[in-house]
Amino acid sequence: MKRIFPIIIFLITVSLIGAILIQISWLKNMLLLKKDQVEEKVKQIASNVGEELAQYKGASATAGLRSFPGANDGFSLESPRYYNVGQRFTSQELYDKIEAAFIKEKIEYVPFEFALVTFKNDIIGQIERQSTNFTSWYEDSVNYFPKLTPLIPPTGSAAENLASDEWLIV
């Protein structure tokens, strides 16, 4: 009987360690799955907000309209001015749009930074608008994952080939 007792304790200890290792593995897999789900939602948010912002690329209806003084016939010279999204929205307005999309996707607890940029030769040419900590977060690819989406104006719009290429990075 004395020889069986240590064997039973050893077997119970091994099974307990095995159960703990299985639970740790399960938790790691669950965390990876949750991270992937959040990344997918952020990608979807960037795409949705990008599509919404792309609607604003193009000519302003009132920009550049000049009429001759004393001309009462409604004659005007129309020279539309093409705007980038960065010229139409402030950083705070862009932040509010992205934050609303995070709330809609029920991931408002996820912190984010953003930038609205133009690309030239596959590198960031100019940052038009950005949030406060965007630069440090963008450079820290270990802890943060950027999602890029192009702002493509609607097909057939005046800005389709005239506005510069803009990208939203969330």
Side-chain angles (χ1 to χ4, degrees):
M1 189 63 131
K2 288 186 175 184
R3 296 182 109 193
I4 294 178
F5 189 68
I7 292 173
I8 292 174
I9 290 176
F10 174 75
L11 291 174
I12 290 173
T13 304
V14 168
S15 66
L16 192 61
I17 290 172
I20 291 171
L21 290 176
I22 288 172
Q23 287 180 346
I24 289 171
S25 173
W26 180 78
L27 285 172
K28 283 182 180 180
N29 287 337
M30 188 177 70
L31 287 174
L32 281 174
L33 178 64
K34 187 67 173 174
K35 180 184 175 198
D36 288 344
Q37 288 173 343
V38 168
E39 283 189 33
E40 188 61 35
K41 283 186 177 188
V42 171
K43 181 179 176 182
Q44 186 63 40
I45 287 169
S47 178
N48 290 346
V49 172
E51 287 176 13
E52 178 186 345
L53 292 175
Q55 302 299 317
Y56 293 98
K57 288 185 76 145
S60 168
T62 60
L65 293 180
R66 293 175 285 159
S67 62
F68 289 108
N72 295 330
D73 62 355
F75 180 74
S76 66
L77 291 176
E78 184 176 338
S79 58
R81 179 174 172 199
Y82 292 94
Y83 290 103
N84 288 335
V85 172
Q87 294 169 319
R88 290 186 182 242
F89 294 99
T90 65
S91 294
Q92 185 61 47
E93 290 171 331
L94 293 173
Y95 181 87
D96 293 341
K97 285 184 177 296
I98 297 169
E99 183 180 43
F102 270 73
I103 292 170
K104 182 179 177 187
E105 288 291 331
K106 296 180 177 58
I107 58 170
E108 59 271 3
Y109 57 88
V110 176
F112 69 91
E113 297 292 328
F114 74 92
L116 187 63
V117 301
T118 56
F119 275 86
K120 294 179 183 176
N121 299 328
D122 294 331
I123 58 171
I124 294 177
Q126 177 182 355
I127 297 178
E128 296 178 356
R129 299 277 185 248
Q130 72 179 23
S131 57
T132 309
N133 298 317
F134 171 76
T135 305
S136 61
W137 281 35
Y138 188 72
E139 292 170 355
D140 184 5
S141 61
V142 173
N143 296 313
Y144 306 106
F145 51 93
K147 297 298 179 191
L148 288 81
T149 188
L151 303 184
I152 302 169
T155 304
S157 71
E160 186 173 14
N161 295 316
L162 300 175
S164 61
D165 293 335
E166 291 178 294
W167 289 69
L168 177 66
I169 304 172
V170 177

